[in-house]
Amino acid sequence: MKKKFNYIYLFAVLAVLVSCDLNQEIEIELPEYTPQITVECYVQNGKPFNLLLTKSVGYFDPLVLDPQEYLEQILVNDAQVSVVVENETYELVNGAFLDPTSFTLNNYASSELVNFDPGTDLALEVKLADGKVLSANTSIVEPLEIDSISIEFNEVQTDMARCLIFGDDNDPEVNYVRRMLHDGSLDSLVIDFVATDEFTEGDRFVFGSDYSFERGDTVINTLIHINKEYYDFYQSVQGAAFVNGNPFGQPGQLISNIEGEGNPIGIFTSISVDTTFTIVPE
């Protein structure tokens, strides 16, 4: 009798589940989105000051496909932008500036090239057309260079090779780096991540790749020495992008060093870039 009752109970539960509308739509009321001012400025010796000043758009805002219209929507112009270095002020003019090496677009730049000693402090000030003032601080990083490269072929797949880069790391303090690797050209990104030198042993660092390069390939290695503020910012951007496609995930919180009214976000930081080109032997 007990066995019969269990079957009846099971069929009753299944009947209830089948009769439910499992495809019922759920409406979620979202708060009205307020655009934020965003700042990106990467100071590099040998280049002029370049800064991108934009405003964010809502996730559910209509998608603008025309590039010119999209730039007009997000670019913030008519601001007064300056960088103060040891009581000297560098003014950045408003315009359109394309960096031919990184293919990045900026709408503010200086005419002077940056040339400061490591450890030099810099202060950014942005006065918007509506009177709001944004600010940030950073310091020039030490150069961190790739001093040797090794191409190693796979013992099994003898036509496939990996690339290792090495360099000196004599600074007792924690160093932060961004490591990028491209295959053939700068529009074919293979590896891109940030790391610290805490995992290295002694005073040498090494970064590698998998066995994905063929004979004759051009391997482009880039090592960028960064400050901790950029390390934290990059990590938070990657984290926010990871949860972007999950409607039930916790929105990512960007770690920014831009201060001011209206909850601005972004990064003002110094970088030192070393890029090498290596051809895999035939």
CSV table of all heavy atoms in Angstrom, one decimal, residues 169-206:
chain,number,residue,atom,x,y,z
A,169,ASP,N,64.7,42.2,-13.0
A,169,ASP,CA,63.8,42.8,-12.0
A,169,ASP,C,64.5,43.0,-10.7
A,169,ASP,O,64.4,42.2,-9.8
A,169,ASP,CB,62.6,41.8,-11.9
A,169,ASP,CG,61.5,42.3,-10.9
A,169,ASP,OD1,61.6,43.5,-10.6
A,169,ASP,OD2,60.7,41.5,-10.5
A,170,ASN,N,65.2,44.1,-10.6
A,170,ASN,CA,66.1,44.3,-9.4
A,170,ASN,C,65.4,45.2,-8.3
A,170,ASN,O,65.9,45.4,-7.3
A,170,ASN,CB,67.3,45.0,-9.8
A,170,ASN,CG,68.2,44.2,-10.8
A,170,ASN,OD1,68.3,43.0,-10.6
A,170,ASN,ND2,68.7,44.8,-11.9
A,171,ASP,N,64.2,45.6,-8.6
A,171,ASP,CA,63.4,46.5,-7.7
A,171,ASP,C,62.9,45.6,-6.6
A,171,ASP,O,62.1,44.7,-6.8
A,171,ASP,CB,62.3,47.2,-8.4
A,171,ASP,CG,61.7,48.3,-7.5
A,171,ASP,OD1,61.9,48.3,-6.3
A,171,ASP,OD2,60.9,49.1,-8.1
A,172,PRO,N,63.3,45.9,-5.3
A,172,PRO,CA,62.7,45.1,-4.2
A,172,PRO,C,61.2,45.3,-3.9
A,172,PRO,O,60.6,44.5,-3.3
A,172,PRO,CB,63.6,45.6,-3.0
A,172,PRO,CG,64.0,47.0,-3.4
A,172,PRO,CD,64.2,47.0,-4.8
A,173,GLU,N,60.7,46.4,-4.4
A,173,GLU,CA,59.3,46.7,-4.3
A,173,GLU,C,58.5,45.8,-5.3
A,173,GLU,O,59.0,45.3,-6.3
A,173,GLU,CB,58.9,48.1,-4.5
A,173,GLU,CG,59.6,49.1,-3.5
A,173,GLU,CD,59.2,48.9,-2.1
A,173,GLU,OE1,58.0,48.5,-1.9
A,173,GLU,OE2,60.0,49.0,-1.2
A,174,VAL,N,57.2,45.6,-5.1
A,174,VAL,CA,56.3,44.9,-6.0
A,174,VAL,C,56.2,45.7,-7.3
A,174,VAL,O,55.9,46.8,-7.3
A,174,VAL,CB,54.9,44.6,-5.4
A,174,VAL,CG1,54.0,43.9,-6.4
A,174,VAL,CG2,55.1,43.8,-4.1
A,175,ASN,N,56.4,45.0,-8.4
A,175,ASN,CA,56.3,45.6,-9.7
A,175,ASN,C,55.0,45.0,-10.3
A,175,ASN,O,54.7,43.8,-10.2
A,175,ASN,CB,57.5,45.3,-10.6
A,175,ASN,CG,58.6,46.2,-10.3
A,175,ASN,OD1,58.5,47.4,-10.4
A,175,ASN,ND2,59.8,45.6,-10.0
A,176,TYR,N,54.3,45.9,-11.1
A,176,TYR,CA,53.1,45.5,-11.8
A,176,TYR,C,53.3,45.6,-13.3
A,176,TYR,O,53.9,46.6,-13.7
A,176,TYR,CB,51.9,46.4,-11.3
A,176,TYR,CG,51.6,46.3,-9.9
A,176,TYR,CD1,52.3,47.2,-9.0
A,176,TYR,CD2,50.7,45.4,-9.3
A,176,TYR,CE1,52.1,47.1,-7.6
A,176,TYR,CE2,50.5,45.3,-8.0
A,176,TYR,CZ,51.1,46.2,-7.1
A,176,TYR,OH,50.9,46.1,-5.8
A,177,VAL,N,52.9,44.6,-14.0
A,177,VAL,CA,53.2,44.6,-15.5
A,177,VAL,C,51.9,44.2,-16.2
A,177,VAL,O,51.0,43.5,-15.7
A,177,VAL,CB,54.3,43.7,-15.9
A,177,VAL,CG1,55.6,44.1,-15.2
A,177,VAL,CG2,54.0,42.2,-15.5
A,178,ARG,N,51.8,44.6,-17.5
A,178,ARG,CA,50.8,44.1,-18.4
A,178,ARG,C,51.6,43.5,-19.5
A,178,ARG,O,52.5,44.1,-20.1
A,178,ARG,CB,50.0,45.3,-19.0
A,178,ARG,CG,48.9,44.8,-20.0
A,178,ARG,CD,48.0,45.9,-20.4
A,178,ARG,NE,47.0,45.4,-21.4
A,178,ARG,CZ,46.1,46.2,-22.0
A,178,ARG,NH1,46.1,47.5,-21.7
A,178,ARG,NH2,45.3,45.7,-22.9
A,179,ARG,N,51.3,42.2,-19.8
A,179,ARG,CA,52.0,41.4,-20.8
A,179,ARG,C,51.1,41.2,-22.0
A,179,ARG,O,50.0,40.6,-21.8
A,179,ARG,CB,52.5,40.1,-20.2
A,179,ARG,CG,53.4,39.3,-21.1
A,179,ARG,CD,52.6,38.3,-21.9
A,179,ARG,NE,53.4,37.1,-22.3
A,179,ARG,CZ,54.1,37.1,-23.4
A,179,ARG,NH1,54.3,38.2,-24.2
A,179,ARG,NH2,54.8,36.0,-23.7
A,180,MET,N,51.5,41.5,-23.2
A,180,MET,CA,50.7,41.3,-24.4
A,180,MET,C,51.5,40.6,-25.4
A,180,MET,O,52.7,40.8,-25.5
A,180,MET,CB,50.2,42.7,-25.0
A,180,MET,CG,49.4,43.5,-24.0
A,180,MET,SD,49.0,45.2,-24.6
A,180,MET,CE,47.8,44.7,-25.9
A,181,LEU,N,50.9,39.8,-26.2
A,181,LEU,CA,51.5,39.0,-27.3
A,181,LEU,C,50.6,39.0,-28.5
A,181,LEU,O,49.4,38.7,-28.4
A,181,LEU,CB,51.9,37.6,-26.8
A,181,LEU,CG,52.7,36.7,-27.8
A,181,LEU,CD1,53.6,35.8,-27.0
A,181,LEU,CD2,51.8,35.9,-28.7
A,182,HIS,N,51.2,39.4,-29.7
A,182,HIS,CA,50.5,39.4,-30.9
A,182,HIS,C,51.2,38.5,-31.9
A,182,HIS,O,52.4,38.2,-31.9
A,182,HIS,CB,50.4,40.8,-31.5
A,182,HIS,CG,49.7,41.8,-30.7
A,182,HIS,ND1,50.2,42.4,-29.6
A,182,HIS,CD2,48.4,42.3,-30.8
A,182,HIS,CE1,49.3,43.2,-29.0
A,182,HIS,NE2,48.2,43.1,-29.7
A,183,ASP,N,50.4,37.9,-32.8
A,183,ASP,CA,50.9,37.0,-33.9
A,183,ASP,C,50.8,37.7,-35.2
A,183,ASP,O,49.8,37.9,-35.8
A,183,ASP,CB,50.0,35.8,-33.9
A,183,ASP,CG,50.6,34.7,-34.9
A,183,ASP,OD1,51.6,35.0,-35.5
A,183,ASP,OD2,49.9,33.7,-35.0
A,184,GLY,N,52.0,38.2,-35.7
A,184,GLY,CA,52.1,38.7,-37.1
A,184,GLY,C,51.8,40.2,-37.2
A,184,GLY,O,52.6,40.9,-37.8
A,185,SER,N,50.8,40.7,-36.5
A,185,SER,CA,50.5,42.2,-36.5
A,185,SER,C,49.8,42.5,-35.2
A,185,SER,O,49.3,41.7,-34.4
A,185,SER,CB,49.6,42.5,-37.7
A,185,SER,OG,48.3,41.8,-37.6
A,186,LEU,N,49.7,43.8,-35.0
A,186,LEU,CA,49.1,44.3,-33.7
A,186,LEU,C,47.6,44.2,-33.6
A,186,LEU,O,47.0,44.6,-32.6
A,186,LEU,CB,49.5,45.8,-33.5
A,186,LEU,CG,51.1,46.0,-33.2
A,186,LEU,CD1,51.4,47.5,-33.1
A,186,LEU,CD2,51.5,45.2,-31.9
A,187,ASP,N,47.0,43.7,-34.7
A,187,ASP,CA,45.5,43.5,-34.6
A,187,ASP,C,45.2,42.0,-34.4
A,187,ASP,O,44.0,41.6,-34.6
A,187,ASP,CB,44.8,44.0,-35.9
A,187,ASP,CG,45.3,43.4,-37.2
A,187,ASP,OD1,46.3,42.5,-37.1
A,187,ASP,OD2,44.8,43.7,-38.3
A,188,SER,N,46.2,41.2,-34.1
A,188,SER,CA,46.0,39.8,-33.8
A,188,SER,C,46.4,39.4,-32.4
A,188,SER,O,47.5,38.8,-32.3
A,188,SER,CB,46.7,38.9,-34.9
A,188,SER,OG,48.1,39.2,-34.9
A,189,LEU,N,45.7,39.8,-31.4
A,189,LEU,CA,46.1,39.6,-30.0
A,189,LEU,C,45.9,38.2,-29.6
A,189,LEU,O,44.9,37.5,-29.9
A,189,LEU,CB,45.2,40.5,-29.1
A,189,LEU,CG,45.5,40.5,-27.7
A,189,LEU,CD1,46.9,41.1,-27.4
A,189,LEU,CD2,44.5,41.3,-26.9
A,190,VAL,N,47.0,37.6,-29.0
A,190,VAL,CA,47.0,36.3,-28.6
A,190,VAL,C,46.9,36.2,-27.0
A,190,VAL,O,46.2,35.4,-26.5
A,190,VAL,CB,48.2,35.5,-29.1
A,190,VAL,CG1,48.3,34.1,-28.5
A,190,VAL,CG2,48.3,35.5,-30.6
A,191,ILE,N,47.7,37.0,-26.4
A,191,ILE,CA,47.8,37.0,-24.9
A,191,ILE,C,47.7,38.5,-24.4
A,191,ILE,O,48.3,39.4,-25.0
A,191,ILE,CB,49.1,36.4,-24.4
A,191,ILE,CG1,49.1,34.9,-24.7
A,191,ILE,CG2,49.2,36.6,-22.9
A,191,ILE,CD1,50.4,34.2,-24.3
A,192,ASP,N,46.9,38.7,-23.3
A,192,ASP,CA,46.8,40.0,-22.7
A,192,ASP,C,46.3,39.8,-21.3
A,192,ASP,O,45.2,39.4,-21.0
A,192,ASP,CB,45.8,40.9,-23.5
A,192,ASP,CG,45.7,42.3,-23.0
A,192,ASP,OD1,46.6,42.7,-22.1
A,192,ASP,OD2,44.9,43.1,-23.4
A,193,PHE,N,47.2,40.2,-20.3
A,193,PHE,CA,46.9,40.1,-18.9
A,193,PHE,C,47.8,41.0,-18.1
A,193,PHE,O,48.8,41.4,-18.6
A,193,PHE,CB,47.0,38.6,-18.4
A,193,PHE,CG,48.4,38.0,-18.5
A,193,PHE,CD1,49.3,38.2,-17.5
A,193,PHE,CD2,48.7,37.2,-19.6
A,193,PHE,CE1,50.5,37.7,-17.5
A,193,PHE,CE2,50.0,36.7,-19.6
A,193,PHE,CZ,50.9,36.9,-18.6
A,194,VAL,N,47.4,41.2,-16.9
A,194,VAL,CA,48.3,41.9,-15.9
A,194,VAL,C,48.7,41.0,-14.8
A,194,VAL,O,48.1,40.0,-14.5
A,194,VAL,CB,47.5,43.1,-15.3
A,194,VAL,CG1,47.2,44.2,-16.3
A,194,VAL,CG2,46.3,42.7,-14.6
A,195,ALA,N,49.9,41.3,-14.3
A,195,ALA,CA,50.5,40.4,-13.2
A,195,ALA,C,51.4,41.2,-12.4
A,195,ALA,O,51.7,42.4,-12.7
A,195,ALA,CB,51.2,39.2,-13.9
A,196,THR,N,51.9,40.6,-11.3
A,196,THR,CA,52.9,41.2,-10.4
A,196,THR,C,54.1,40.3,-10.5
A,196,THR,O,54.1,39.2,-11.0
A,196,THR,CB,52.4,41.3,-9.0
A,196,THR,OG1,52.4,39.9,-8.4
A,196,THR,CG2,51.0,41.9,-8.9
A,197,ASP,N,55.3,40.8,-10.0
A,197,ASP,CA,56.5,40.0,-10.0
A,197,ASP,C,56.7,39.2,-8.8
A,197,ASP,O,57.8,38.7,-8.5
A,197,ASP,CB,57.7,40.9,-10.3
A,197,ASP,CG,57.9,42.0,-9.1
A,197,ASP,OD1,57.0,42.0,-8.2
A,197,ASP,OD2,58.8,42.7,-9.2
A,198,GLU,N,55.6,39.1,-8.0
A,198,GLU,CA,55.8,38.4,-6.7
A,198,GLU,C,56.0,36.9,-6.9
A,198,GLU,O,56.5,36.2,-6.0
A,198,GLU,CB,54.5,38.6,-5.8
A,198,GLU,CG,54.4,40.1,-5.3
A,198,GLU,CD,53.1,40.3,-4.5
A,198,GLU,OE1,52.0,40.2,-5.1
A,198,GLU,OE2,53.2,40.6,-3.4
A,199,PHE,N,55.6,36.4,-8.1
A,199,PHE,CA,55.7,35.0,-8.3
A,199,PHE,C,57.1,34.6,-8.9
A,199,PHE,O,57.5,33.5,-9.0
A,199,PHE,CB,54.7,34.5,-9.3
A,199,PHE,CG,54.8,35.1,-10.7
A,199,PHE,CD1,55.6,34.5,-11.7
A,199,PHE,CD2,54.2,36.3,-11.0
A,199,PHE,CE1,55.7,35.0,-12.9
A,199,PHE,CE2,54.3,36.8,-12.3
A,199,PHE,CZ,55.1,36.2,-13.2
A,200,THR,N,57.9,35.6,-9.2
A,200,THR,CA,59.2,35.4,-9.8
A,200,THR,C,60.3,35.0,-8.7
A,200,THR,O,60.1,35.4,-7.6
A,200,THR,CB,59.8,36.6,-10.6
A,200,THR,OG1,59.9,37.7,-9.7
A,200,THR,CG2,58.8,37.0,-11.7
A,201,GLU,N,61.3,34.3,-9.2
A,201,GLU,CA,62.4,33.9,-8.2
A,201,GLU,C,63.6,34.7,-8.6
A,201,GLU,O,64.0,34.8,-9.7
A,201,GLU,CB,62.6,32.4,-8.3
A,201,GLU,CG,61.5,31.6,-7.9
A,201,GLU,CD,61.8,30.1,-7.9
A,201,GLU,OE1,63.0,29.8,-8.2
A,201,GLU,OE2,60.9,29.3,-7.6
A,202,GLY,N,64.3,35.3,-7.5
A,202,GLY,CA,65.5,36.1,-7.8
A,202,GLY,C,65.2,37.4,-8.4
A,202,GLY,O,64.1,38.0,-8.2
A,203,ASP,N,66.1,37.9,-9.2
A,203,ASP,CA,66.0,39.2,-9.8
A,203,ASP,C,65.8,39.1,-11.3
A,203,ASP,O,66.1,40.0,-12.1
A,203,ASP,CB,67.3,40.0,-9.6
A,203,ASP,CG,68.5,39.3,-10.1
A,203,ASP,OD1,68.4,38.2,-10.6
A,203,ASP,OD2,69.6,39.9,-9.9
A,204,ARG,N,65.1,38.0,-11.8
A,204,ARG,CA,64.8,37.9,-13.2
A,204,ARG,C,63.3,37.5,-13.4
A,204,ARG,O,62.7,36.9,-12.5
A,204,ARG,CB,65.6,36.7,-13.9
A,204,ARG,CG,67.1,37.0,-13.9
A,204,ARG,CD,67.5,37.9,-15.0
A,204,ARG,NE,67.4,37.3,-16.3
A,204,ARG,CZ,67.6,38.0,-17.4
A,204,ARG,NH1,67.8,39.3,-17.4
A,204,ARG,NH2,67.5,37.3,-18.6
A,205,PHE,N,62.7,38.0,-14.4
A,205,PHE,CA,61.3,37.7,-14.8
A,205,PHE,C,61.3,36.9,-16.1
A,205,PHE,O,62.2,37.0,-16.9
A,205,PHE,CB,60.4,38.9,-14.8
A,205,PHE,CG,60.7,39.8,-16.0
A,205,PHE,CD1,60.2,39.5,-17.3
A,205,PHE,CD2,61.4,41.0,-15.8
A,205,PHE,CE1,60.5,40.4,-18.3
A,205,PHE,CE2,61.6,41.8,-16.9
A,205,PHE,CZ,61.2,41.5,-18.1
A,206,VAL,N,60.3,36.1,-16.3
A,206,VAL,CA,60.1,35.3,-17.5
A,206,VAL,C,58.6,35.2,-17.8
A,206,VAL,O,57.8,34.9,-16.9
A,206,VAL,CB,60.7,33.9,-17.4
A,206,VAL,CG1,60.2,33.1,-16.3
A,206,VAL,CG2,60.5,33.2,-18.8
